[in-house]
Amino acid sequence: MKLTSKGRYAVMALVDLARFDTVNPVSLRDISLRQGISLDYLEQIFSKLKKNQIVKSTRGTQGGYVLSKKPDEIKLTNIFNAVDEKVKTVQCKKESKKGCNGKATKCVTHNLWDELETHINSFFEKKSLEDLLKNNSERIN
Amino acid sequence: MKLTSKGRYAVMALVDLARFDTVNPVSLRDISLRQGISLDYLEQIFSKLKKNQIVKSTRGTQGGYVLSKKPDEIKLTNIFNAVDEKVKTVQCKKESKKGCNGKATKCVTHNLWDELETHINSFFEKKSLEDLLKNNSERIN
DNA sequence: ACATACCTGACTAAAATGGTCAAGTTTAGA
DNA sequence: TCTAAACTTGACCATTTTAGTCAGGTATGT
């Protein structure tokens, strides 16, 4: 299972973006400075966020990024999927048409991971950017 | 967050163990053959399971491992903790007594990860080995 | 005594992570 | 029109983690 800082950075950056300015584009340089995330790394992340229609970009001077939906329409699942943070548990080695590990049946843990995945995903599907904004409205960074 | 095959192997091996013989010790060699897990790797895993009082060992010929508790008393949390599969989300860099990333306040995602961690742990705390045994009673491996 | 099975620790190849670096293209504004 | 700010793309890389292997033990039932 993966759930690393790329996903965390993505969330941090989007919260920053949403809070800082809802109308004018916000530059990655500003986000980089405020959140302490490498600019180059942010660019990779936002490239993916853009492909997944989570943000829109404006080029040129005074350019930057804006959310492409309202914060309550952006679920955390969307964000994690966008940056390839697949909430996927370890897979059994799939051997052709057989079960796990080349055996005839599914391995004993197969259903377990499926269940867990569903469980975690449901958590992320309920949470939106909006929720995080409310939760942190008193903070500066 | 970590949740990799070491934890999965531990669960597979324990289910195998529990189902195969509840009285006599089961050798790692047998588990290794039945589950297709490297013997050397199993030994590492069982060493940790033993330290955490999840299994008991008997040495010598006809030796092996037995569960040290009843299957319904062994929760998945116990297993994952034992093999160092800490269900821990990515941490913010902790700077001395300050907040995350050297700032004065907690970062916006801080609470989120805490919440997620609790959510996942509660899933694993509810699930016991017994549950897995029941779920897979019709299977062979 | 000897085979079986547990026990321990060092080691390692491959993959993932968390970035950096370089070389653009686009566009607002002077 | 020129230029700097800002987005865009893709290659590259050091470090860490993962998923083991290998080599040597030690203990014990028969």
Side-chain angles (χ1 to χ4, degrees), chain B residues 68-82:
Chain B
S68 60
K69 301 174 198 170
K70 281 183 287 179
D72 67 300
E73 290 172 328
I74 302 176
K75 304 297 182 188
L76 293 194
T77 329
N78 307 139
I79 302 175
F80 289 129
N81 284 338

Side-chain angles (χ1 to χ4, degrees), chain A residues 27-44:
Chain A
S27 77
L28 291 190
R29 209 177 70 88
D30 289 352
I31 298 180
S32 163
L33 290 174
R34 280 195 297 265
Q35 300 297 328
I37 305 169
S38 139
L39 176 59
D40 285 314
Y41 202 30
L42 270 182
E43 284 175 347
Q44 279 184 41

Side-chain angles (χ1 to χ4, degrees), chain A residues 6-8 17 28 31 40 70 78 88 94 97 133:
Chain A
K6 190 178 282 185
R8 198 165 68 84
L17 184 59
L28 291 190
I31 298 180
D40 285 314
K70 280 183 288 178
N78 307 139
K88 275 222 135 186
K94 278 170 194 165
K97 296 140 207 163
L133 287 171

Side-chain angles (χ1 to χ4, degrees), chain A residues 5 21 26 32 36 42 46 56 65 68 73 91 93 101 119:
Chain A
S5 28
D21 199 324
V26 179
S32 163
L42 270 182
F46 272 75
K56 284 181 296 191
Y65 289 91
S68 60
E73 290 172 327
Q91 296 287 351
K93 290 166 201 152
N101 294 324
H119 193 247

Side-chain angles (χ1 to χ4, degrees), chain A residues 43-98:
Chain A
E43 284 175 347
Q44 279 184 41
I45 292 169
F46 272 75
S47 159
K48 292 179 177 179
L49 291 176
K50 193 189 171 184
K51 269 184 202 140
N52 285 266
Q53 281 106 38
I54 292 171
V55 293
K56 284 181 296 191
S57 72
T58 318
R59 298 186 130 197
T61 321
Q62 306 302 321
Y65 289 91
V66 197
L67 292 184
S68 60
K69 301 173 198 170
K70 280 183 288 178
D72 67 301
E73 290 172 327
I74 302 177
K75 304 297 180 186
L76 294 194
T77 329
N78 307 139
I79 302 174
F80 289 129
N81 284 338
V83 296
D84 291 329
E85 286 273 23
K86 290 162 194 152
V87 176
K88 275 222 135 186
T89 48
V90 198
Q91 296 287 351
C92 325
K93 290 166 201 152
K94 278 170 194 165
E95 293 278 333
S96 58
K97 296 140 207 163
K98 296 178 186 177

Side-chain angles (χ1 to χ4, degrees), chain A residues 8 34 103 105 113 141, chain B residues 8 34 103 105 113 141:
Chain A
R8 198 165 68 84
R34 280 195 297 265
K103 306 232 172 167
T105 53
W113 298 133
N141 74 324
Chain B
R8 198 166 67 85
R34 279 194 298 265
K103 307 231 170 166
T105 54
W113 298 132
N141 73 325

Side-chain angles (χ1 to χ4, degrees), chain B residues 4-11 41 44-45 48 83-85:
Chain B
T4 60
S5 29
K6 190 179 282 185
R8 198 166 67 85
Y9 285 167
V11 174
Y41 201 31
Q44 280 184 40
I45 293 170
K48 292 180 176 177
V83 297
D84 292 329
E85 286 274 24

Side-chain angles (χ1 to χ4, degrees), chain B residues 5-72:
Chain B
S5 29
K6 190 179 282 185
R8 198 166 67 85
Y9 285 167
V11 174
M12 285 169 70
L14 286 175
V15 171
D16 182 286
L17 184 60
R19 182 149 45 197
F20 196 77
D21 198 325
T22 42
V23 182
N24 302 110
V26 178
S27 78
L28 290 191
R29 207 177 71 90
D30 289 352
I31 298 179
S32 164
L33 290 174
R34 279 194 298 265
Q35 300 297 328
I37 306 168
S38 136
L39 176 59
D40 285 314
Y41 201 31
L42 271 182
E43 283 177 348
Q44 280 184 40
I45 293 170
F46 272 76
S47 157
K48 292 180 176 177
L49 291 176
K50 193 191 169 183
K51 268 184 202 141
N52 286 267
Q53 282 106 38
I54 292 171
V55 293
K56 284 181 297 190
S57 71
T58 318
R59 298 186 129 197
T61 321
Q62 306 301 323
Y65 288 92
V66 197
L67 293 184
S68 60
K69 301 174 198 170
K70 281 183 287 179
D72 67 300

